Amino acid sequence: MRLFDDLNIDYLSKRKMTYVISSTLIIISLLSFAFRGIELGIDFKGGTEIALKFQNPVNISEIRTELNSIGLGNIEVKTFGGESGILVRTELQVVPPLVFQRVISAIDNSIEESRPGVQRSIVDSTSNSVTYQFDNPEETDILTEQLFINGFQTAKIDDKTMNVRVGIADWVEEVLRDKLPDNPFVVQKEDHVGPKIGSELKRDSVISVVLALFVIMIYLGFRFKFVFALGAVVALFHDVLITLGLFSLLYGIIPGLNLEISISVVAAFLTLVGYSINDTVVVFDRVRENLKIHKTAKLEDNINRAINKTMRRTIVTSLTTLFVVTILLIFGGDVLRGFAFTLFFGILIGTYSSIFVANPFVYEYSLKTKKKIQF
């Protein structure tokens, strides 16, 4: 890394070329937003998430093929907690009427297998549950326990009635038990996200990112000067916008990168904001130091000198972080892919913007206003 100790590169002389590069990337991102949009995950648009734990390792491609064929709509199947666990996510929240009847038939068959000929009647039925009534409390107790063992979500209401929930998990369970009879499994969890909750999460995510940028601008305004704060926030908007554009552009084009915006991706963007601003502040700090020491030097020379002096630190920090993120991107599995993808490209774009967006912004401000920046 001693190669970077005596750099003397004039970065600001290349600013017009980088303006073209950044403007092109931003325009492409905006056009992609307009014509392709951004694919939101279940966290934001609502749906169901089901975790299954199998007794033996499973072929994720085989399960994905089976579930894609039963009408679950837009689904996502990932490994979860090892080779024997899978996570199924679908935009559906209730089972369709035709499937509901099939699940009821499966419940009836399970009751017959457990207690042949038992007298029962359905006293209530909703879009996601059915309530059975039996002749005596003993039958209710036995069947509530036995159906639960068989994988159904049962609850005893009173001595003679039992409620059985009919959810997406029951539909998935029915299909997979038929297709994989030699590999028993259990449903570890079934979570639902309603449209109202998804809308609130979407709003809160946008607020969290904007608020982070606003607070950063206030902090940098006090620590440096307002123009430095504004330059840093412009660079952060640049990073977030282009990284989001990659999500939009690559969805449906590159296998394995059909990435949706989820809560973990929002967390990655907030991490990216913190990482990028840290890199920018390191350079700004050296610029301020140079302005105090070299008071008669040109602002352009002080900025270039600051970037050159911090380049070794920038490269070492970025590369070591990229090594870890690359491993996560390749080996982290589907669950971590969105998070790792955001950080991987965000670090590259953030490092670029610290050098070619934030500092040139400060320099352009000085040229336009003809004001000398002093500390």
Side-chain angles (χ1 to χ4, degrees):
M1 285 300 172
R2 291 186 180 279
L3 292 172
F4 302 103
D5 279 349
D6 300 313
L7 289 177
N8 188 26
I9 301 172
D10 186 357
Y11 298 96
L12 292 183
S13 66
K14 301 172 177 58
R15 68 186 187 280
K16 291 185 179 178
M17 180 183 67
T18 60
Y19 292 164
V20 172
I21 294 172
S22 293
S23 299
T24 302
L25 292 174
I26 289 172
I27 290 170
I28 291 173
S29 296
L30 292 174
L31 289 174
S32 184
F33 295 153
F35 292 102
R36 290 173 57 84
I38 299 176
E39 193 68 24
L40 298 177
I42 290 172
D43 297 326
F44 296 112
K45 64 184 179 183
T48 304
E49 182 177 82
I50 306 158
L52 304 175
K53 183 67 175 178
F54 288 80
Q55 191 175 80
N56 305 310
V58 292
N59 185 329
I60 195 75
S61 299
E62 180 185 351
I63 291 179
R64 186 179 289 114
T65 301
E66 294 294 345
L67 296 181
N68 269 321
S69 65
I70 65 173
L72 275 171
N74 184 23
I75 70 165
E76 181 182 322
V77 182
K78 304 177 179 180
T79 55
F80 181 77
E83 295 181 348
S84 60
I86 66 167
L87 188 70
V88 180
R89 306 178 83 183
T90 172
E91 57 192 358
L92 295 181
Q93 296 182 43
V94 295
V95 297
L98 289 177
V99 177
F100 183 88
Q101 293 303 320
R102 281 165 42 194
V103 176
I104 296 301
S105 297
I107 295 171
D108 284 331
N109 290 337
S110 184
I111 291 174
E112 279 296 323
E113 290 176 3
S114 302
R115 305 290 287 178
V118 66
Q119 295 297 313
R120 62 189 181 276
S121 60
I122 295 177
V123 294
D124 189 25
S125 178
T126 66
S127 61
N128 57 12
S129 70
V130 60
T131 302
Y132 287 89
Q133 186 175 64
F134 303 98
D135 288 343
N136 61 71
E138 182 183 357
E139 299 289 359
T140 308
D141 291 336
I142 293 173
L143 288 169
T144 300
E145 182 178 353
Q146 188 59 51
L147 262 65
F148 181 79
I149 293 171
N150 291 346
F152 295 101
Q153 303 300 309
T154 59
K156 182 179 175 182
I157 298 176
D158 56 37
D159 288 344
K160 293 186 178 182
T161 54
M162 172 188 71
N163 181 265
V164 185
R165 189 174 58 80
V166 181
I168 301 295
D170 301 295
W171 183 12
V172 170
E173 190 174 5
E174 179 195 357
V175 172
L176 294 183
R177 287 196 193 282
D178 182 53
K179 299 295 182 181
L180 303 169
D182 299 326
N183 195 356
F185 64 90
V186 294
V187 178
Q188 291 185 314
K189 69 169 185 173
E190 181 179 8
D191 297 330
H192 299 272
V193 179
K196 185 175 185 299
I197 295 174
S199 178
E200 290 175 355
L201 285 174
K202 192 190 309 180
R203 181 199 64 204
D204 292 345
S205 297
V206 173
I207 290 173
S208 65
V209 174
V210 173
L211 189 59
L213 296 176
F214 180 70
V215 173
I216 286 170
M217 186 168 65
I218 293 175
Y219 166 71
L220 292 182
F222 279 106
R223 179 170 177 179
F224 297 98
K225 288 183 179 296
F226 183 72
V227 63
F228 284 85
L230 201 56
V233 171
V234 167
L236 291 177
F237 268 113
H238 168 279
D239 301 343
V240 172
L241 195 59
I242 293 176
T243 307
L244 269 176
L246 285 171
F247 272 83
S248 177
L249 280 169
L250 298 179
Y251 191 88
I253 295 178
I254 299 179
L257 289 180
N258 293 336
L259 302 174
E260 299 175 340
I261 304 298
S262 62
I263 289 296
S264 65
V265 169
V266 173
F269 273 106
L270 290 172
T271 305
L272 168 61
V273 166
Y275 181 92
S276 183
I277 198 63
N278 180 66
D279 204 31
T280 303
V281 165
V282 168
V283 181
F284 279 173
D285 208 40
R286 185 56 65 93
V287 171
R288 180 175 60 179
E289 181 182 309
N290 288 342
L291 289 172
K292 288 179 179 180
I293 297 172
H294 308 285
K295 294 183 179 180
T296 58
K298 294 180 180 179
L299 176 62
E300 180 179 6
D301 293 337
N302 280 325
I303 291 177
N304 281 326
R305 187 181 292 114
I307 298 173
N308 282 314
K309 288 297 183 182
T310 57
M311 184 55 66
R312 182 172 67 171
R313 177 262 172 203
T314 298
I315 291 175
V316 169
T317 305
S318 297
L319 284 179
T320 51
T321 310
L322 279 174
F323 287 152
V324 176
V325 173
T326 301
I327 292 171
L328 279 178
L329 186 61
I330 297 172
F331 301 108
D334 292 335
V335 175
L336 292 176
R337 186 161 294 139
F339 183 88
F341 175 88
T342 305
L343 287 184
F344 181 86
F345 286 99
I347 288 169
L348 294 176
I349 297 166
T351 302
Y352 161 86
S353 70
S354 296
I355 299 169
F356 294 112
V357 177
N359 286 283
F361 183 92
V362 175
Y363 181 65
E364 292 288 357
Y365 169 84
S366 178
L367 290 180
K368 299 295 183 186
T369 60
K370 295 182 172 41
K371 291 182 180 180
K372 186 176 181 180
I373 298 176
Q374 292 179 319
F375 285 94

